[in-house]
Each structure stands twice: as structure tokens, then as C-alpha cells.
């Protein structure tokens, strides 16, 4: 499915990421068409979060290239990648805890501020107009995602589900074309998870997003992704529709191996904060 | 509360402050004026230090270095030429400073130059230190302070070395100058902190990785905080030079930074109003505690004065405050009229509830 003349929105070409001797990502390639929702799954430590970290510039890949809207963004600083139109959430929620819900969102607008520091300190006409505009836009966004009532509360005081939601709202505030969600359902009960999946589909439509969704739990992504990619030990082992993936022996093997390892209590492949 | 009331209250507060200073200018003796001046200078230094340490969360240990630069630059620009000849009697002061000085009425230029020089120092130390994550800033700024100290001690043609520089002219209306600077610093820093730039700085403090992922350019914003902090630190140094009229490297040792660190931690890291209040409390306390350093005669028992005893008491106090108010007196929050209003109405509310409860 490539509606826009076939040019992918994002492509990773033979990306390898090594940490010392450990190869977290091995010759990984991926293409994402505009408007697509792709699921990225795999056992713990497979390298899923690392994919996000190299796309967003957290780490420069050891080898390979990353192209976004045809532009080579390999090794760009995270803030520039964000400005280019890629936003992310983190596996372990990373809100600005001491700031209010609204302020969390406003931070994301800062990059588009045209006033300089002096304009801000002396509250120039331009600055005052921009600040007011940001606040209006921020409140409107919070309305749309259902967080307007808690706009003035401190972020760390929110219940878990709302924190996840705020993290997504904050990412949306950067006006992304591509949204990267890292295990957004982690730590949620089935009911919350169901709501979240509905929410993701809702924002995908409303903000015309392309989404790359990491999920540890295979069952979860099956419902909303047209296409799924499976990672194991840093390598792509399968890609296809949910049905194809469910029947793929290598995938079953990878997840079975994970289950056995978990039972034996070998925590060698652990998560790293995303 | 309506914002027009809040602005009114703030203006009323400022007017009250200016009335107080106008009165103090004519009525206080030299000792009390000095304490008031010191308080204002500590406000300038602490509020600017809080910007980088408390608001942006970047652990700098450099304010003594910035203050030293400000003090020396201001002094070199304003010290009369005749006095310069008297001070640098072993080795002459470098040209053109030897031959030229600003007239005293241009003291604002000298202060601004001191601030600008300190800001430049902050910028230079920030280039390597702020590129790296982690505690490099603390190490680099600590080293910076030490380097400034060594330079001040050894570049005699510029600083007159350990002997220092005497005879800095008195500024008439010094109280107006110091408190004027304090008010301007607080207004400027508060305005910055409450702007979009301030939000970006706080975001960096809360979570650097997330801030960068939200588009905040880390290096530029940390640099902004450091340079602004350095600028006002330099102003504080220049003011100090005018107040004490003699400067030497020993006035700007790490002890100065330590003092400011105590002030901003006690006030609650990140709280500008907290820094203001504790700066004043600290100054007053330091004076009150002179008693514990003076010799004491209790009938037959004679206790000799122990210098440094004040710091022991202040440190004990610091520990006590940290035990009861783990996040400082203001807990990282700001004093605001809204907060006062809420306290006030809540107190009235609860007392009414209590009477209602006791009646039933
Ligand atoms: N910054 C890092 N330094 C060293 N090793 C890392 C780093 N980030 C991830 N890894 C390692 O890379 C592998 C993949 O991690 P990650 O991408 O977080 O897995 P996943 O998100 O699929 O659970 C793991 O073995 C992890 O320990
Ligand atoms: Mg992960």
C-alpha cells in the first residue's frame, strides 16, 4: 500500500547498531508507506526500542542509513528529527513530572516559537501573541484527547492510563507525520488496553498519522495493524499480515524460546529504558 | 484571582520596597546599610545561580568565578587613574587600563561590562562542558572558579595579585543601586522562567531525553541558562566591589559558591522567590550569629571566640531544614498571590468549619 506515488515516508536501509560487542540491531531494513500502521513485535531485548532510538537520533547507527520523506536523517540530533516530523513516546513513561499537563504539551510547541529570548523576557507583542496561540492550541489538543479537565494538574499525579495518554498528546503537539509508540499498553489491564487501541486508531485518523507501533504482546497488535514485522536478536525474522505472522513457525519459535527462558529465570535479555 | 489585582499587588509591593529603601537611605547607620546592601547582592547572586542549578537542573559550581570576573572588570573600569597608580606600585597596570577610567557616574556601564565579561566566561566554559551529559558541568565550572582564582592571584599587571585592589570609590545611593539591581534581576529571571524558554529549561531539568525528543535543543538552552546566570553573577560581583571597596582573590573562593548553594537549596531548588527569601534570611542570620563567634564570659568560665562557628550553626540549620522540608522552604514552588489568597480563604474556611463542627 503506497498511495503517494510509491515514495515511502520512512525507510531504514541496512541499519546495524552495536553497543560494544553486542549487536542490538543487525542489518535491519524497513519501509513505511504514508498512512500505514505497522506493528513491530518481538521478545524482550529483540532490539525494538533500539529501532526507535536510531530513527529519532538517540543513537547514531553503526552502519546503514535512515531516510525520512526522501531526506537522509541518519545521525541527526533528536530535536532536529522531531522538528522534521517524527515524534515518539517512551517505553517507560517520560513525562515532565513537575510540570502541569498543559505545560507538558506547551514544551512541544517551543521549537516553533519565532520570538527570541529578549522578546520573551520583555513580552513583546509577537511573543504575547505566540504564547496565547500556543495555549489555545494546547487546550484544544487536550480537549481532543480528553485531558482538558486535568490541564492544570501536575503530570506525575495523573493515573497511569492518563499519563500514557498525555505522553501521546505531547508527541502529537510536535505536529508529527510519523508517530512512534513504544509499548503504549505496557502495564495496562485488558480494559485500559482496549481503550488505548481505540484511541490510537482515533488519532491516526484524526491527525492523518503514519504509525510505527511496538508491542511486546503479540495478541494486542493483531487487532489494529495491517502489517507486522517481527524482530528477534536484532534480526528481522518475519513480516506479513497478522494471520501470516500467527502461523509463522520462526515467530512461534522465538516466542516459545522467550517463554522457556523466562521460566528458567534467565534474565539475560532484559529491557533497556526506551 | 484576577490578574489585574495580582499586578496591582506586585506594584504595591515594589512601591513599599522603594519607600523602605528611600527611608533607609537617610536613616540607617553604616552597619545596617551594609547588611541591607549585602542582602540585595545575595539576592542577585542567588537568583541567577538558581536559574542554572534549580530551574534548568544543570549543576554548576561556577558562580564564584562569574562574580570574580564581574568584580574585577567593574573595578578596573571605574577605579580612578590616580588610585590605579597607587595600587599597582610594584608592576604597572596594563595599558590602556592604566591611563583611562570611566567617570563614576558611568557606573552602570562598568557593571554591565562586568556582567558581559562574566557571561562571556560562562559561554566559553559552557562550550565544552554542556556538550557532554552528566556531571561534567559541575567539574568544569568548579575548575573554572579555581582557574579564575589562580589567575587573579598571579596576573599582577591586571589584578594586583593577592594584595587585591583598594580604594574603589563609594557609590552614593548604593542602596538604590543594589536593590534596583535585585529587583531588575528578579523581574528579568522570573519573566524568562515563566516564558516558553523557561518551560523548555524546566523540561530539560525534568527529563533531558524527553525534552530533546520534544524538539528542545539541549545545548542551546542549557547555554542560555548558563550565560544569563553568568551575566547576573557578574553584576553581583561588581556590586560587591562597590560595597566592600576592596577586592582580592580571597573574596571569591569556593566558599562563595558554597554559600549560594546553601541559599538556593534552603529556598527550594528552582524557586526564585525561595532564593530571594533565603538570601535575606541568610544575610540576617549571618549577622545575628556573630555572637557565637565572639568570646563569652560566664562568670568564672571564659570561652574564647571560635571563628567559623557561624558556619557550624548554619550547617546544622541546613540539616534541620532538610529534615523537615526535604525540598527546601518553598519546595521548588513559587510564592504567588494566588497561593496566598488560597491560604487565606482556606484558613477562614476551615476555622468556620471547625466552629460549625463543634456546634453540632
Ligand atoms: N544504550 C545501550 N547500551 C548497551 N546496550 C543496549 C543499549 N540499548 C539497548 N541495549 C541492548 O540492546 C538489546 C536490544 O534492546 P532493546 O532495543 O531495548 O530491546 P526491546 O525494546 O526489543 O526489548 C538488548 O540486549 C539491550 O540490552
Ligand atoms: Mg523496548
Amino acid at each position: 500500500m503506497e498511495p503517494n506515488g510509491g515514495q515511502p515516508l520512512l525507510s531504514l536501509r541496512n541499519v546495524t547498531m552495536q553497543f560494544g560487542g553486542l549487536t542490538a540491531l543487525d542489518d535491519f531494513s524497513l519501509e513505511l508507506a504514508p498512512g500505514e500502521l505497522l506493528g513491530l513485535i518481538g521478545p524482550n531485548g529483540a532490539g525494538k526500542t533500539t529501532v526507535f532510538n536510531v530513527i529519532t537520533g538517540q543513537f547514531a547507527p553503526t552502519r546503514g542509513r535512515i531516510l525520512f520523506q526522501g531526506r537522509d536523517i541518519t545521525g541527526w540530533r533528536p530535536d532536529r528529527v522531531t522538528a522534521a516530523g517524527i515524534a515518539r513516546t517512551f517505553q517507560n513513561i517520560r513525562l515532565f513530572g513537575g510540570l502541569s499537563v498543559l505545560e507538558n504539551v506547551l514544551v512541544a510547541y517551543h521549537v516553533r516559537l519565532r520570538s527570541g529570548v529578549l522578546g520573551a523576557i520583555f513580552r513583546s507583542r509577537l511573543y504575547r501573541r505566540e504564547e496565547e496561540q500556543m495555549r489555545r492550541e494546547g487546550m484544544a489538543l487536550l480537549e481532543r484527547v480528553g485531558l482538558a479537565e486535568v490541564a492544570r494538574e501536575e503530570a506525575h499525579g495523573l493515573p497511569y492510563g492518563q499519563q500514557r495518554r498525555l505522553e501521546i498528546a505531547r508527541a502529537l503537539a510536535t505536529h508529527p507525520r510519523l508517530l512512534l509508540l513504544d509499548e503504549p499498553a505496557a502495564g495496562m489491564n485488558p480494559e485500559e488496553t482496549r481503550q488505548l487501541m481505540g484511541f490510537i486508531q482515533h488519532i491516526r485518523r484524526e491527525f492523518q498519522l503514519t504509525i510505527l507501533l511496538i508491542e511486546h504482546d503479540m495478541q494486542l497488535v493483531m487487532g489494529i495493524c495491517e502489517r507486522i514485522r517481527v524482530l528477534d536478536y536484532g534480526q528481522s525474522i518475519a513480516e506479513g499480515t497478522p494471520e501470516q505472522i500467527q502461523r509463522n513457525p520462526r515467530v512461534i519459535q522465538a516466542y516459545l524460546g522467550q517463554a522457556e527462558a523466562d521460566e528458567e529465570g534467565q534474565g539475560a535479555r532484559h529491557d533497556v529504558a526506551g | 484571582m484576577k490578574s489585574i489585582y495580582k499586578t496591582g499587588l506586585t506594584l504595591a509591593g515594589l512601591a513599599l520596597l522603594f519607600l523602605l529603601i528611600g527611608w533607609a537611605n537617610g536613616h540607617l547607620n553604616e552597619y545596617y546599610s551594609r547588611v541591607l546592601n549585602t542582602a540585595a547582592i545575595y539576592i542577585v547572586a542567588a537568583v541567577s545561580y538558581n536559574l542554572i542549578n534549580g530551574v534548568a537542573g544543570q549543576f554548576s559550581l561556577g558562580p564564584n568565578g562569574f562574580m570574580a570576573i564581574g568584580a574585577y572588570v567593574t573595578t578596573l573600569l571605574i577605579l580612578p587613574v590616580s588610585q590605579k597608580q597607587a595600587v599597582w606600585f610594584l608592576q604597572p597596570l596594563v595599558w590602556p587600563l592604566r591611563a583611562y577610567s570611566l567617570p563614576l557616574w558611568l557606573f552602570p556601564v562598568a557593571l554591565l561590562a562586568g556582567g558581559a565579561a562574566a557571561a562571556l566566561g560562562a559561554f566559553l566554559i559552557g562550550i565544552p562542558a554542556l556538550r557532554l551529559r552528566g556531571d561534567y558541568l559541575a567539574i568544569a565550572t568548579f575548575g573554572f572558579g579555581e582557574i579564575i582564582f589562580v589567575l587573579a592571584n598571579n596576573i599582577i599587571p591586571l589584578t594586583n595579585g593577592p594584595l587585591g585592589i583598594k580604594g574603589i570609590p563609594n557609590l552614593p545611593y548604593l542602596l538604590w543601586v543594589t536593590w534596583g539591581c535585585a529587583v531588575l534581576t528578579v523581574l528579568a529571571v522570573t519573566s524568562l522562567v515563566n516564558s516558553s524558554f523557561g518551560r523548555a529549561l524546566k523540561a530539560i531539568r525534568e527529563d533531558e531525553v524527553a525534552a530533546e525528543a520534544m524538539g528542545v535543543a539541549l545545548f542551546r538552552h542549557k547555554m542560555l541558562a548558563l550565560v544569563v546566570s553568568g551575566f547576573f553573577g557578574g553584576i553581583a560581583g561588581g556590586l560587591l566591589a562597590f560595597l566592600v571597596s576592596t577586592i582580592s582573590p580571597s573574596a571569591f573562593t569556593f566558599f562563595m559558591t558554597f554559600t549560594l548553594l546553601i541559599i538556593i537549596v534552603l529556598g527550594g531548588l528552582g524557586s526564585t522567590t525561595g532564593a530571594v527569601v533565603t538570601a535575606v534570611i541568610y544575610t540576617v542570620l549571618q549577622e545575628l550569629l556573630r555572637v557565637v563567634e565572639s568570646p563569652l564570659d560566664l562568670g568564672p568560665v571564659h570561652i574564647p571566640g571560635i571563628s567559623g562557628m557561624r558556619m557550624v550553626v548554619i550547617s546544622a540549620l541546613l540539616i534541620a531544614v532538610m529534615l523537615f522540608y526535604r525540598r527546601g522552604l518553598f519546595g521548588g514552588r513559587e510564592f504567588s498571590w494566588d497561593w496566598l489568597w488560597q491560604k487565606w480563604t482556606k484558613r477562614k474556611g476551615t476555622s468556620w468549619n471547625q466552629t460549625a463542627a463543634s456546634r453540632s
Side-chain angles (χ1 to χ4, degrees), chain A residues 49 91 182-183 271:
Chain A
T49 298
Q91 185 171 347
D182 196 346
E183 302 202 23
D271 276 302

Side-chain angles (χ1 to χ4, degrees), chain B residues 278-354:
Chain B
T278 38
V280 175
I281 293 178
Y282 182 90
T283 314
V284 173
L285 211 61
Q286 213 184 14
E287 294 305 319
L288 294 180
L289 287 175
R290 281 193 193 282
V291 216
V292 301
E293 289 191 3
S294 52
L296 197 60
D297 276 310
L298 298 169
V301 191
H302 173 79
I303 303 170
I306 308 165
S307 77
M309 207 47 203
R310 274 190 293 174
M311 275 327 286
V312 176
V313 177
I314 286 175
S315 300
L317 220 70
L318 177 69
I319 295 170
V321 170
M322 286 296 116
L323 282 179
F324 294 108
Y325 302 90
R326 207 167 47 80
R327 301 186 56 201
L329 290 177
F330 280 64
R333 272 160 234 279
E334 296 296 344
F335 167 85
S336 71
W337 298 115
D338 277 330
W339 173 83
L340 194 69
W341 177 247
Q342 271 166 18
K343 279 263 153 181
W344 172 251
T345 46
K346 205 181 279 173
R347 171 155 317 153
K348 285 211 331 218
T350 48
S351 61
W352 187 85
N353 281 341
Q354 275 161 0

Side-chain angles (χ1 to χ4, degrees), chain A residues 6-134:
Chain A
Q7 202 209 41
L9 184 71
L10 176 83
S11 37
L12 275 70
R13 297 196 183 149
N14 311 96
V15 173
T16 296
M17 183 74 228
Q18 288 172 330
F19 298 108
L22 182 116
T23 305
L25 210 53
D26 191 1
D27 200 27
F28 180 79
S29 294
L30 176 78
E31 295 216 329
L32 213 54
E36 202 178 359
L37 198 172
L38 181 92
L40 185 60
I41 67 171
N44 265 335
K48 306 181 295 294
T49 298
T50 303
V51 171
F52 278 16
N53 284 339
V54 296
I55 294 175
T56 58
Q58 211 68 53
F59 305 122
T62 317
R63 274 189 299 280
R65 313 235 56 92
I66 298 153
L67 278 75
F68 180 64
Q69 297 183 309
R71 238 188 326 176
D72 192 335
I73 60 163
T74 317
W76 280 22
R77 266 195 345 246
D79 56 296
R80 292 192 57 208
V81 174
T82 305
I86 303 179
R88 72 174 292 182
T89 65
F90 295 91
Q91 185 171 347
N92 308 331
I93 303 179
R94 303 187 82 136
L95 290 171
F96 308 125
L99 303 191
S100 76
V101 169
L102 178 61
E103 283 174 320
N104 265 270
V105 170
L106 293 180
V107 168
Y109 294 135
H110 178 65
V111 65
R112 272 180 283 126
L113 193 75
R114 285 190 298 132
S115 303
V117 183
L118 290 178
I121 292 179
F122 292 108
R123 295 289 190 270
S124 69
R125 282 256 297 284
L126 174 65
Y127 178 78
R128 287 202 308 264
R129 209 172 48 225
E130 286 190 301
E131 172 83 24
E132 200 185 310
Q133 169 76 22
M134 280 197 263

Side-chain angles (χ1 to χ4, degrees), chain B residues 20-232:
Chain B
L20 226 69
I21 295 190
W23 172 82
N25 227 343
H27 291 78
L28 289 185
N29 66 23
E30 204 175 317
Y31 173 73
Y32 285 112
S33 302
R34 198 185 164 88
V35 174
L36 267 187
N37 277 318
T38 310
I41 294 170
Y42 270 137
I43 289 176
V44 176
V47 165
S48 58
Y49 188 32
N50 180 57
L51 179 65
I52 182 75
N53 269 31
V55 177
Q58 305 303 305
F59 198 51
S60 154
L61 291 173
N64 58 327
F66 302 140
M67 286 178 75
I69 294 179
Y72 274 97
V73 169
T74 304
T75 302
L76 285 171
L77 289 178
I78 213 81
L79 197 71
V81 172
S82 58
Q83 184 65 23
K84 283 179 176 171
Q85 279 161 1
V87 168
W88 278 267
F89 59 90
L90 288 175
Q91 279 183 46
L93 177 60
V94 291
W95 193 88
L97 290 170
R98 184 194 324 154
Y100 299 100
S101 287
L102 294 175
L104 191 56
W105 63 271
L106 279 181
F107 73 89
V109 176
L111 280 175
L112 286 174
L120 180 67
F123 180 73
L124 293 178
I125 193 67
I127 290 174
L130 294 177
R131 288 210 181 278
L132 306 162
R133 292 206 175 152
D135 297 327
Y136 295 99
L137 184 66
I139 296 160
T141 47
F142 176 75
F144 177 76
E146 294 301 297
I147 289 169
I148 297 293
F149 181 74
V150 171
L151 291 181
N153 260 322
N154 291 287
I155 309 186
I156 293 172
L158 196 62
T159 65
N160 203 34
L163 291 176
I165 305 172
K166 294 180 197 43
I168 301 165
N170 277 326
L171 265 190
Y173 304 111
L174 185 61
L175 268 176
W176 283 105
V177 177
T178 55
W179 280 92
C181 284
V183 168
L184 288 180
T185 306
V186 170
L187 288 179
V189 170
T190 309
S191 181
L192 177 67
V193 170
N194 290 335
S195 76
S196 186
F197 288 92
R199 277 195 298 268
L201 295 180
K202 286 185 259 182
I204 291 174
R205 172 190 70 199
E206 297 288 312
D207 191 323
E208 192 167 305
V209 172
E212 197 178 28
M214 289 306 116
V216 176
L218 296 181
F219 178 74
R220 271 199 9 231
H221 285 84
K222 291 178 186 175
M223 187 60 106
L224 168 71
L226 186 64
V227 166
V228 173
S229 173
F231 175 79
F232 286 110

